[in-house]
Amino acid sequence: MYGLIWRILPGPWISKFIMALGLLAGAAALLWFFAFPAISPHMPFNDGAVDTSSFGGEEPGGTPEEEGVPADGGLPGNEDGTGAEEAPASEEGF
């Protein structure tokens, strides 16, 4: 098939090469902008197995404090619950 396309294109080999690259780029653009978006909803990689229905809302069991989880998340460290401790100040001023 590629030999047939090469023989059909007119001109010397450099112009055939440039036209073949143009045909390849055109075919890729058609696939990228028309074919792939058209078949995307039918592909299996769009079927997620993770339930995201509770994201952004309240948990079904109530607030975390009601379920025994501390308000700071139970992380060791600062009182703000970030879990990060302050680095000691250096005497050299760095």
Side-chain angles (χ1 to χ4, degrees):
M1 180 173 142
Y2 299 111
L4 175 67
I5 294 171
W6 189 260
R7 285 190 302 269
I8 290 175
L9 292 174
W13 75 271
I14 190 70
S15 66
K16 287 184 180 188
F17 181 73
I18 293 171
M19 285 186 272
L21 284 179
L23 286 172
L24 181 66
L30 285 174
L31 287 172
W32 188 269
F33 292 113
F34 295 105
F36 294 153
I39 64 171
S40 178
H42 306 291
M43 298 304 291
F45 52 76
N46 287 337
D47 300 333
V50 178
D51 181 24
T52 60
S53 61
S54 65
F55 288 162
E58 191 172 308
E59 293 293 323
T63 62
E65 290 83 15
E66 293 173 357
E67 295 179 6
V69 178
D72 64 355
L75 298 174
N78 292 340
E79 290 78 27
D80 62 356
T82 60
E85 297 185 18
E86 292 183 23
S90 174
E91 294 177 13
E92 299 167 2
F94 286 96

